Amino acid sequence: MIKLRNAIAAMATAVMLLTPMQAQSFDWLRAASGATKAIQSMTLSDAQVRNYVGQYVADLDKKSKIAPENSPYTIRLKKLTSGLKSVDGVPLNFKVYITNDINAFACADGSVRVYSGLMDLMNDDEVLGVIGHEVGHVAHKHTKKAIKQALLTSAAREALASGSGIVATLSASQIGAIGEALVSSKYSKSQETDADNYGYDFLKKSGKNPWAMAQAFKKLMSMEKSSGSVSKSVKNLFSDHPSTEKRIENMEKKARKDKYPVPSGYTPLTK
């Protein structure tokens, strides 16, 4: 409730600072709508999150180039994810976006989207590890927290900018707010570690060598070092909290403890 009180307090402060002329043009209906949205976001259920995200993914699917059923990418992804039906009771659905970007994401509604650029860069086990990592964020409800914050942010914007048609119009789109949250969300160090560990266990349960998690991280790190920078999609895929090196070390330590063999051609960072 602290965030809610802060949002309402911010709205009240903004109103107090208005001049008499500004107060006359202040959109009280939109301001009230913003406060209502803030209240709703604080009591957001899992079903509501899935509904909101489902609308966003459906919109994104329409705007993206999706690999057809007979595409080698789709056939490969179906083979990789065979048997992966749900997470926490939510049915999973998989699609490939045809793009050179290196990215993948999983959403609270069970949508998992893998970019063809990622599939071109990584082998099957590495791709599966990335999917496990992204599904881990869903399983731990990290995406729900990001969306709740997005709705609060949207509510605050709507309340504070209710006298500005341009800003209010931009912040009125619920789908846009959710998309912004998913694209720009930065997970904490503990959240990223939880997702990494989930991806590691995900590979183990799939009968794969979990060294693939370290391999995937190392490929992304090599891209960053060779170019001096990475694309926004890569940064979103694997946040830099904690550092990539630390995450590789964590995966290698776990794989050694579980006595998995080091893949041929892979040079570990740790001994």
Side-chain angles (χ1 to χ4, degrees), residues 243-259:
S243 69
T244 306
E245 290 88 346
K246 291 293 184 183
R247 299 169 81 172
I248 293 172
E249 291 173 5
N250 179 40
M251 295 295 97
E252 291 183 353
K253 181 179 180 181
K254 290 172 69 70
R256 282 199 177 91
K257 183 178 179 180
D258 290 339
K259 298 181 179 180

Side-chain angles (χ1 to χ4, degrees), residues 18-268:
L18 293 175
T19 65
M21 184 67 70
Q22 290 173 326
Q24 291 180 6
S25 62
F26 190 79
D27 190 339
W28 293 98
L29 186 60
R30 187 174 295 280
S33 173
T36 300
K37 190 183 293 184
I39 295 172
Q40 292 175 337
S41 68
M42 293 306 295
T43 59
L44 206 60
S45 69
D46 289 351
Q48 286 174 311
V49 170
R50 289 194 293 270
N51 180 275
Y52 286 137
V53 174
Q55 294 179 51
Y56 165 72
V57 175
D59 182 69
L60 188 60
D61 283 351
K62 291 179 182 177
K63 298 175 181 177
S64 303
K65 183 178 180 181
I66 298 175
E69 289 296 310
N70 61 351
S71 166
Y73 290 112
T74 302
I75 294 172
R76 180 186 174 194
L77 185 61
K78 280 188 174 181
K79 182 178 179 181
L80 283 175
T81 58
S82 176
L84 303 178
K85 303 300 182 183
S86 65
V87 56
D88 290 345
V90 179
L92 295 172
N93 67 89
F94 301 87
K95 291 182 181 179
V96 178
Y97 286 169
I98 302 298
T99 171
N100 291 329
D101 288 342
I102 299 169
N103 205 1
F105 64 86
C107 290
D109 71 325
S111 297
V112 181
R113 302 294 181 262
V114 183
Y115 292 26
S116 59
L118 178 79
M119 299 182 75
D120 290 337
L121 177 69
M122 298 184 177
N123 64 36
D124 287 355
D125 288 0
E126 292 163 357
V127 171
L128 195 59
V130 169
I131 291 174
H133 170 95
E134 295 302 318
V135 170
H137 281 306
V138 175
H140 288 291
K141 302 188 186 302
H142 298 160
T143 54
K144 177 182 176 181
K145 295 175 183 177
I147 291 169
K148 284 183 67 175
Q149 186 58 51
L151 292 176
L152 274 175
T153 302
S154 176
R157 286 177 182 170
E158 198 164 331
L160 294 173
S162 53
S164 171
I166 297 177
V167 177
T169 299
L170 291 175
S171 63
S173 172
Q174 213 165 44
I175 290 178
I178 292 172
E180 181 181 346
L182 294 175
V183 170
S184 63
S185 61
K186 295 295 183 182
Y187 297 114
S188 68
K189 178 178 179 180
S190 62
Q191 288 176 328
E192 288 293 2
T193 299
D194 287 344
D196 290 348
N197 292 336
Y198 189 98
Y200 179 93
D201 293 335
F202 189 82
L203 285 172
K204 286 178 61 176
K205 291 177 182 178
S206 300
K208 308 296 183 181
N209 189 335
W211 275 94
M213 288 293 291
Q215 287 179 292
F217 285 135
K218 199 171 182 182
K219 283 186 176 180
L220 293 175
M221 186 175 68
S222 296
M223 285 180 59
E224 183 175 8
K225 288 183 177 180
S226 64
S227 64
S229 63
V230 294
S231 68
K232 182 179 179 180
S233 59
V234 171
K235 287 183 178 179
N236 288 334
L237 177 60
F238 288 129
S239 170
D240 57 354
H241 301 292
S243 69
T244 306
E245 290 88 346
K246 291 293 184 183
R247 299 169 81 172
I248 293 172
E249 291 173 5
N250 179 40
M251 295 295 97
E252 291 183 353
K253 181 179 180 181
K254 290 172 69 70
R256 282 199 177 91
K257 183 178 179 180
D258 290 339
K259 298 181 179 180
Y260 280 93
V262 178
S264 176
Y266 178 77
T267 304

